[in-house]
Amino acid sequence: MTHVVVVGAGQAGASAVARLRAKGFDGDITLIGEESHPPYQRPPLSKAYLLGELDRDRLYLRPESFYDENNITLKLGAPVSAIDPAAKTVTVGDETLSYDDLVLTTGSHPRRLPASIGGDLDGVLVVRGLANVDAMAPRFVTGSKVLIVGGGYIGLEAAAVAAKRGLDVTLVEMADRILQRVAAPETSAFFRQLHKTNGVDLREGVGLDHLIGENGAVTGAVLSDGTSLDVDFVLVGVGIEPDMRLAEAAGLRIENGIATDAFGRTSDPHIWAAGDCASFPWKDQQLRLESVGNAIDQAECVADNILGAETPYQAKPWFWSDQYDVKLQIAGLSTGYDHVVVRTGDGSVSHWYFDGDTLIAIDAMNDPRAYMVGKRLIDAGKSPDPKVVGDPDTDLKALLKA
Ligand code: FAD
């Protein structure tokens, strides 16, 4: 019987195994995860779950019974320690499992602060998994002082939760502006204002110099401008690294993650990769995306290709972020834009990114209609006239018919 082994029981791993069964694969499937939970969604960890507004069961992507019912062997709390591509086996604890096809969906891990600046002190935390968030929850008490290092989406979402819970929040971003890596100045300005209005002490162009500890626990911080702060705990949101340890040790090609071809195959024809850990050919580079949409679509594409479809992966990037009462929805990739058109509506605003005449991305704040229209246009490779987009009287849906 053919055996597909999937290493990494997260968003991509769960999507791959479900797709294999949905497409009629009747061989053996084993999904192996090092965490002790069945596959769950991470986005609420820095949003509703951290806020205490979502039960843990609602995080699970599928009820645990799904795996049994679909004859999928789920091994949890089981880190895979090695792959032997020549023998086509993986090692889990004392066990050696043979595979016909192996899918790596090992995700990513958050960058940490170096120990030399206090990164190893108690109370210096990251938001990545359920275990991290459950451990930090008791610290979210009114009046507690939190320093958030990094003004990307996770740092900003954590700041919004902390501010809503009545903590005293300082956020430092070393770059000139928050969201600099991923968004236009217009979007940064929108979220800067939102956080300031909600009482966050947001400092841009200021990094962390070092943390101060007493008896092994963080008590203070010195910033790059020399300012000192008292802190009760620190949340670090300075980006992630793809988890490529197994792939590297197995000698697979690495380029901005585990390098795959257009079909999701790595440099070994029986090993595939998808999700945060995997890069794929895009324009003239190996692109890696860090989003739920990519994890699902890429994993499903890999599952189809294991079954012989030979379908190239066509990324249709989308993302979202919730902060206070604002829902941000993003479609496309803004890299390479040369101008942004701002469209304002009733309590909503959207930023449309153009490269010349080509629409490449949209950020929609509380504007699901602009998001939906922008996404459909981008996916279809259509570009509306920027002047028409910016005119608040334009009926957006009409753009789809043009
Ligand atoms: P993961 O979901 O991280 O799963 C990888 C799994 O592999 C992990 O459980 C890991 O423990 C396991 N693993 C690794 N190595 C091994 C091994 N050797 N053996 C066994 N198991 C192993 N995306 C959005 O689109 N929108 C959002 O709003 C959003 N918010 C986010 C908020 C937070 C706090 C975080 C952390 C992420 C957020 N993301 C968001 C990103 C999104 O969650 C990830 O892109 C997505 O989870 C990637 O899926 P994945 O399957 O590649 O990795």
Side-chain angles (χ1 to χ4, degrees):
M1 179 89 73
T2 309
H3 188 194
V4 177
V5 172
V6 180
V7 179
Q11 186 80 58
S15 303
V17 298
R19 180 72 157 206
L20 283 168
R21 282 291 182 247
K23 288 285 174 126
F25 176 69
D26 63 0
D28 292 334
I29 302 179
T30 305
L31 174 59
I32 311 174
E34 69 187 342
E35 294 182 79
S36 53
H37 312 284
Y40 61 90
Q41 32 170 345
R42 295 184 193 278
L45 297 183
S46 51
K47 308 178 181 75
Y49 186 74
L50 188 56
L51 206 45
E53 290 179 350
L54 192 73
D55 288 340
R56 169 181 295 211
D57 287 0
R58 302 266 312 278
L59 293 179
Y60 296 149
L61 290 165
R62 297 178 189 271
E64 222 168 330
S65 57
F66 168 86
Y67 303 95
D68 260 359
E69 286 159 11
N70 284 278
N71 200 16
I72 294 165
T73 305
L74 183 59
K75 286 182 180 292
L76 297 175
V80 169
S81 55
I83 307 168
D84 181 340
K88 292 177 47 181
T89 59
V90 296
T91 309
V92 201
D94 298 338
E95 210 183 346
T96 302
L97 288 178
S98 296
Y99 62 80
D100 294 285
D101 282 287
L102 175 67
V103 186
L104 297 178
T105 50
T106 46
S108 50
H109 42 85
R111 285 191 200 116
R112 306 221 174 215
L113 298 178
S116 57
I117 64 163
D120 59 347
L121 291 167
D122 260 7
V124 182
L125 311 171
V126 292
V127 190
R128 178 68 197 171
L130 249 171
N132 306 131
V133 175
D134 287 346
M136 74 178 62
R139 296 180 183 266
F140 276 68
V141 286
T142 305
S144 185
K145 294 187 188 63
V146 59
L147 170 66
I148 299 182
V149 182
Y153 286 118
I154 289 184
L156 291 173
E157 289 177 353
V161 170
K164 273 178 108 165
R165 296 280 295 270
L167 279 76
D168 181 349
V169 188
T170 304
L171 184 148
V172 290
E173 168 53 62
M174 184 167 74
D176 290 347
R177 58 182 176 87
I178 55 170
L179 301 174
Q180 187 169 57
R181 198 174 59 85
V182 289
E186 289 82 349
T187 300
S188 302
F190 179 95
F191 284 100
R192 176 184 308 120
Q193 189 55 45
L194 181 67
H195 281 276
K196 290 198 165 173
T197 307
N198 282 279
V200 172
D201 179 357
L202 196 153
R203 307 185 190 185
E204 295 164 294
V206 181
L208 172 70
D209 189 75
H210 64 276
L211 297 172
I212 297 165
E214 266 176 46
N215 303 322
V218 69
T219 54
V222 177
L223 305 182
S224 58
D225 61 2
T227 321
S228 295
L229 299 174
D230 289 339
V231 300
D232 294 311
F233 71 106
V234 175
L235 286 183
V236 181
V238 294
I240 61 169
E241 297 286 353
D243 194 330
M244 323 175 282
R245 289 170 291 183
L246 287 175
E248 270 178 320
L252 300 180
R253 186 166 80 89
I254 301 293
E255 189 180 338
N256 187 24
I258 305 171
T260 70
D261 64 12
F263 306 98
R265 227 182 249 112
T266 68
S267 52
D268 180 303
H270 300 287
I271 307 181
W272 310 72
D276 279 9
C277 66
S279 68
F280 56 94
W282 184 78
K283 298 192 176 166
D284 54 357
Q285 54 168 300
Q286 284 290 123
L287 179 69
R288 205 174 52 73
L289 297 173
E290 300 164 0
S291 71
V292 163
N294 174 66
I296 297 171
D297 293 350
Q298 205 179 12
E300 291 187 344
C301 181
V302 161
D304 292 353
N305 289 333
I306 288 174
L307 301 179
E310 289 293 311
T311 308
Y313 178 50
Q314 307 279 3
K316 294 185 172 160
W318 57 274
F319 192 81
W320 76 97
S321 178
D322 297 329
Q323 297 170 45
Y324 311 100
D325 54 357
V326 174
K327 180 162 208 75
L328 163 69
Q329 292 170 288
I330 302 171
L333 287 180
S334 59
T335 320
Y337 75 95
D338 58 18
H339 68 288
V340 170
V341 173
V342 177
R343 181 185 165 90
T344 41
D346 201 9
S348 66
V349 59
S350 51
H351 299 155
W352 302 64
Y353 295 74
F354 284 85
D355 176 10
D357 293 334
T358 308
L359 176 66
I360 57 170
I362 176 170
D363 295 341
M365 277 70 75
N366 287 340
D367 198 341
R369 176 183 293 243
Y371 168 74
M372 185 273 291
V373 170
K375 179 161 178 25
R376 282 174 60 180
L377 289 169
I378 294 162
D379 289 350
K382 290 186 179 171
S383 295
D385 180 341
K387 283 198 280 306
V388 175
V389 169
D391 179 351
D393 293 331
T394 300
D395 171 13
L396 281 178
K397 280 204 170 156
L399 298 177
L400 292 172
K401 294 185 196 122

